[in-house]
Amino acid sequence: MTKPTALISGAGGQDGSLLAELLAGQGFRVVGLLRPAGRLTADSMAAGVEPLEIDLQDAQGLDALVGRLQPQLVFHLAAHHHSSQEAGQVEALKAREAMIDVNFGVTRTLAFALLRHRLDAHLVVAGSSQMYRIQPGGGDRLIDELTPADPSTFYGHTKVWCRDLLATLRRDEGLRASLAVLFNHESPRRREAFLSRKVTLAAARAATGHGRPVELLNLGSRTDWSSADDVVQGLSLIAREADAGDWVLGSGRAHSVRELLEAAFGHVGLDWRDWVTARADDATPALVGDARRARERLGWTVSYTHLRAHE
């Protein structure tokens, strides 16, 4: 019997590689799209994922690929983010153009490819908490599927455009397409540029005698953190759901950078104060994901509900 096919953009990243591994284990033929010179992790390669290099901005080539593979599940997880290394107006404009092309443009290409080839596939696109912002003078803000969009970044704007396009095509063309609003989610596959990996690697290096001082911006900064394993499980459940729509995947709780440090360094029996300094220690309100719909409709559960030191 022929295996059903799952197509994943961004298969070389944290979420894409974890999802590829999960779906391959569930019996799918998984085709993982990589940018030229990209790579899959060793774990995903071992799981039997088929890597395929492609320029996602080649709309004609991507459309033809969808028609050839006839996938049952399509995940668009590849994204272009703003980088603090992009200094100057020219670099910033290039970054915005890339966000439009990769975040929104590829969503458009995949959506219309499924319609053009008349495929009964479910398209799942990764959204972002950056589609919303903290309200001035307020505390933590709980975000669910009905919260009006109010993007805090240009990246967030591109994700709102994706949401609106998918909603329109669901209504007018019957496209099965969902947007998963994702909050911060972490795993050992995160790049070191991300705060979570910077902290955990600092703790590991300190524990093995290779520690060096680390400076962070704000110990009081608070975030809705969850496990990337939980999130990709949620993406898989969304794709299997008959009813398409918007879905929030978040832990429902916010934690500070200080708590993250306590958990990471406490796990190896060290005091983070000996290794980390910060420019500020100001408590900040956070965006928190209300995943009640995913819990009730999909049976999605969160494995890690809080930071646990010394475990």
Side-chain angles (χ1 to χ4, degrees):
M1 184 179 294
T2 304
K3 290 183 177 182
T5 299
L7 182 65
I8 304 175
S9 77
Q14 169 187 259
D15 296 354
S17 64
L18 288 171
L19 181 62
E21 188 177 347
L22 174 66
L23 293 176
Q26 293 175 348
F28 281 85
R29 175 197 180 193
V30 180
V31 179
L33 302 184
L34 304 170
R35 63 181 181 272
R39 66 178 182 86
L40 288 176
T41 66
D43 288 340
S44 293
M45 291 290 281
V49 179
E50 301 174 31
L52 179 62
E53 289 188 2
I54 187 171
D55 179 1
L56 291 176
Q57 297 179 48
D58 175 7
Q60 190 172 16
L62 189 55
D63 180 282
L65 177 66
V66 170
R68 176 167 61 84
L69 292 176
Q70 302 276 299
Q72 282 72 45
L73 306 181
V74 180
F75 299 88
H76 179 32
L77 307 184
H80 187 88
H81 298 261
H82 171 72
S83 170
S84 60
Q85 304 301 315
E86 292 157 351
Q89 184 178 21
V90 173
E91 290 79 5
L93 289 176
K94 286 182 179 178
R96 290 193 171 202
E97 288 180 320
M99 283 186 243
I100 292 172
D101 291 341
V102 176
N103 304 351
F104 177 73
V106 176
T107 298
R108 176 192 59 201
T109 299
L110 290 171
F112 280 95
L114 294 177
L115 292 172
R116 188 174 296 108
H117 295 288
R118 301 182 183 278
L119 299 179
D120 183 24
H122 198 154
L123 170 62
V124 179
V125 177
S128 170
S129 61
Q130 293 181 41
M131 297 163 59
Y132 310 93
R133 71 175 71 224
I134 296 294
Q135 295 173 329
D140 290 352
R141 187 181 184 193
L142 196 62
I143 304 296
D144 65 15
E145 292 80 5
L146 299 179
T147 304
D150 182 18
S152 59
T153 63
F154 190 81
Y155 177 86
H157 277 286
T158 64
K159 295 298 185 176
V160 172
W161 302 340
C162 293
R163 184 203 64 177
D164 292 346
L165 173 66
L166 298 181
T168 299
L169 295 180
R170 280 198 306 268
R171 182 192 65 219
D172 296 347
E173 305 294 341
L175 178 70
R176 289 182 64 208
S178 295
L179 185 97
V181 180
L182 308 181
F183 288 71
N184 289 55
H185 49 284
E186 315 300 334
S187 81
R189 298 186 189 183
R190 273 293 200 200
R191 299 192 308 274
E192 190 171 349
F194 285 83
L195 174 65
S196 60
R197 286 302 283 153
K198 184 179 294 187
V199 168
T200 55
L201 286 172
R205 288 167 180 156
T208 56
H210 298 90
R212 56 179 182 266
V214 175
E215 183 181 48
L216 302 178
L217 292 177
N218 184 11
L219 296 176
S221 180
R222 299 170 65 253
T223 299
D224 180 339
W225 271 304
S226 58
S227 162
D229 288 317
D230 289 340
V231 167
V232 299
Q233 187 71 244
L235 293 174
S236 173
L237 292 171
I238 289 169
R240 308 289 189 89
E241 173 66 20
D243 296 329
D246 296 336
W247 303 88
V248 170
L249 298 179
S251 75
R253 296 182 63 176
H255 294 279
S256 68
V257 173
R258 179 188 293 275
E259 290 176 274
L260 176 61
L261 290 167
E262 290 172 350
F265 282 84
H267 185 74
V268 293
L270 296 175
D271 187 336
W272 64 267
R273 296 173 186 81
D274 295 331
W275 302 95
V276 179
T277 59
R279 299 180 188 178
D281 188 3
D282 303 319
T284 63
L287 296 173
V288 177
D290 181 354
R292 190 179 328 166
R293 182 169 184 257
R295 291 195 302 271
E296 294 175 354
R297 293 280 299 278
L298 305 177
W300 183 63
T301 57
V302 175
S303 299
Y304 299 91
T305 57
H306 55 88
L307 293 169
R308 295 174 290 190
H310 308 296
E311 288 188 11

